[in-house]
């Protein structure tokens, strides 16, 4: 998952659901945006083309691929 403010990369996180033997972590990427009001989020699933979500407002939760409830 990568987050952009225009052409500037603000942050990137790789999401994995395991970290060692018999351990697991939540598949979450959290980004602090400071004063940035909206960003472009790029999600690259394994073996697939990137998916771009434009004009994503700050201070919200995004659930992909099924959206937020």
């Amino acid at each position: 998952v990568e987050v952009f403010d225009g052409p500037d990369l603000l942050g990137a996180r790789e999401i994995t659901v395991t970290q060692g033997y018999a351990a697991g972590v939540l598949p979450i990427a959290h980004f602090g945006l400071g004063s940035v009001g909206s960003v472009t989020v790029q999600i690259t699933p394994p073996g697939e083309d990137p998916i771009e979500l434009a004009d994503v407002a700050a201070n919200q939760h995004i659930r992909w691929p099924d959206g937020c409830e």
Side-chain angles (χ1 to χ4, degrees):
V1 178
E2 296 175 309
V3 176
F4 296 88
D5 180 18
D8 299 327
L9 177 65
L10 297 178
R13 302 284 186 276
E14 183 173 334
I15 296 178
T16 60
V17 291
T18 61
Q19 287 185 331
Y21 178 75
V25 295
L26 293 174
I28 295 174
H30 178 264
F31 298 92
L33 302 179
S35 63
V36 176
S38 66
V39 295
T40 299
V41 177
Q42 184 172 298
I43 303 166
T44 307
E48 297 183 27
D49 292 331
I51 294 143
E52 188 171 287
L53 308 173
D55 295 321
V56 176
N59 297 320
Q60 69 172 314
H61 171 242
I62 296 173
R63 183 176 173 183
W64 182 87
D66 298 322
C68 291
E69 295 179 6

